[in-house]
Amino acid sequence: MRFPVLVEVRLRPGIADPQGATIQRALPALGFDGVQEVRVGKAIRFTVEAPDASAAGRQVDELCQRLLANPVIEDTTVSLGEPV
Amino acid sequence: MTTKVGVVVFPGSNCEHDVVEALQGLGADAELLWHGDATVGDVDAIVLPGGFAHGDYLRPGAIARFSPIMVSITDFAAAGGPVVGICNGFQVLTEAGLLPGALQKNSGSRFLCAPADLIVASAQSALTCATNVGDVVRLPINHFEGNYTCSAETLQELRAEDRIVLRYVSNPNGSIDDIAGVCSAGRNVVGLMPHPERACDPLLGSDDGRRLLGSLLATAGSRLPA
């Protein structure tokens, strides 16, 4: 089965996010005064071949740890879709 | 016997020739190693130069750590061989797990390109053995992701084991504990954000880099058979 995967990579709390800070500073100029806590991350989409959802999840967790995120500065959230 | 240093070229490295020239100026034999090579050969020391290995895609150093030559570099380091990562090379070494911590974006949201004064915090490393604690050296910095960070436990370990090698006199990027460079537990793997190879001639404003690269050659030379 082939599972669609969405991995969201976020900077951990306390890690500098100059992009997020810059976006937040720009928003009031457009009239958006109430926006706070802007954080910029990455969304990585792919599909993975696995016999079932838990095997797919294990594979994705491992590749997140080994490549997609640096655990010193980043967290990940994995969303596994219905197999296609 | 002349000390032979391998300078690793990844796709996107851009400081390799500066490193080779600086090392040759110190009397070493320096050669370029391609990231796709299976082995580092018979080199006595290795330098991972600055640049944008693999375009810095995903994160600086994230893809480079899987380059074929990294297996051989890891073995070389495990055997006590001196390995220095400069700037992007430092980022590669942290991603590869050869050095602790990570380099995050500068706290001031700016790419920094300026001379920086650094204090030698430990003279017990492959890159500082010919200096003294408290010496101040001036080297250029040139980075956007140079803000060193690590867990509180790692920081405590680095301090307790005297593994913080260089500190900024005036912290330019938000690095924790003013850290500009650290070394491995074995003291043979060193990473730093400033560029010693760009400070090897008084014409460039400083030749303090010669003391650091000279330390590397001294470390490598001390391992050679007499």
Side-chain angles (χ1 to χ4, degrees):
Chain A
M1 287 188 278
R2 186 158 281 280
F3 294 86
V5 182
L6 169 63
V7 175
E8 186 195 348
V9 183
R10 295 182 314 269
L11 289 168
R12 294 179 61 177
I15 296 298
D17 180 9
Q19 289 185 87
T22 304
I23 291 169
Q24 187 164 325
R25 275 201 306 276
L27 287 169
L30 300 174
F32 299 101
D33 292 320
V35 182
Q36 289 185 342
E37 297 174 56
V38 176
R39 303 284 280 172
V40 175
K42 298 178 192 124
I44 303 168
R45 290 177 194 278
F46 53 94
T47 63
V48 63
E49 183 71 37
D52 54 49
S54 75
R58 281 196 301 277
Q59 209 179 130
V60 173
D61 285 344
E62 193 191 340
L63 74 86
C64 283
Q65 278 180 20
R66 293 192 59 198
L67 178 63
L68 295 187
N70 180 336
V72 179
I73 53 173
E74 294 168 327
D75 289 326
T76 53
T77 305
V78 174
S79 310
L80 208 60
E82 290 300 315
V84 288
Chain B
M1 198 174 147
T2 312
T3 305
K4 188 169 169 183
V5 186
V7 181
V8 183
V9 183
F10 297 92
S13 296
N14 61 19
C15 299
E16 66 272 23
H17 293 288
D18 305 53
V19 175
V20 166
E21 179 153 329
L23 290 168
Q24 287 172 343
L26 288 161
D29 181 8
E31 66 173 44
L32 298 178
L33 301 174
W34 179 238
H35 83 110
D37 291 351
T39 165
V40 296
D42 61 349
V43 299
D44 306 307
I46 294 170
V47 176
L48 279 66
F52 300 85
H54 296 275
D56 275 358
Y57 293 157
L58 197 58
R59 297 180 303 282
I63 311 287
R65 65 162 293 205
F66 295 107
S67 280
I69 202 169
M70 290 306 294
V71 175
S72 184
I73 290 175
T74 303
D75 291 344
F76 182 83
V83 178
V84 170
I86 301 167
C87 199
N88 192 225
F90 185 12
Q91 295 163 338
V92 174
L93 291 175
T94 59
E95 284 285 341
L98 290 172
L99 289 173
L103 284 312
Q104 57 171 329
K105 290 184 175 67
N106 297 338
S107 60
S109 311
R110 289 189 177 203
F111 188 98
L112 296 170
C113 182
D117 287 334
L118 310 157
I119 301 177
V120 175
S122 172
Q124 309 290 317
S125 85
L127 196 65
T128 51
C129 63
T131 66
N132 299 302
V133 171
D135 285 355
V136 174
V137 292
R138 174 167 286 196
L139 306 178
I141 54 170
N142 190 63
H143 59 243
F144 185 50
E145 274 120 345
N147 178 352
Y148 184 80
T149 186
C150 62
S151 67
E153 301 78 54
T154 300
L155 182 61
Q156 196 174 11
E157 195 178 301
L158 290 174
R159 285 176 179 154
E161 297 176 3
D162 189 31
R163 287 167 55 193
I164 299 167
V165 173
L166 292 164
R167 281 197 175 91
Y168 297 106
V169 171
S170 177
N171 192 335
N173 56 24
S175 287
I176 193 166
D177 201 15
D178 302 331
I179 290 175
V182 298
C183 71
S184 62
R187 323 203 74 81
N188 58 313
V189 181
V190 183
L192 76 167
M193 289 311 297
H195 289 266
E197 81 281 9
R198 296 188 192 174
C200 285
D201 189 309
L203 275 176
L204 299 175
S206 166
D207 62 355
D208 293 344
R210 292 173 66 90
R211 299 179 63 198
L212 301 186
L213 294 176
S215 296
L216 174 64
L217 296 180
T219 302
S222 69
R223 290 167 43 83
L224 295 176

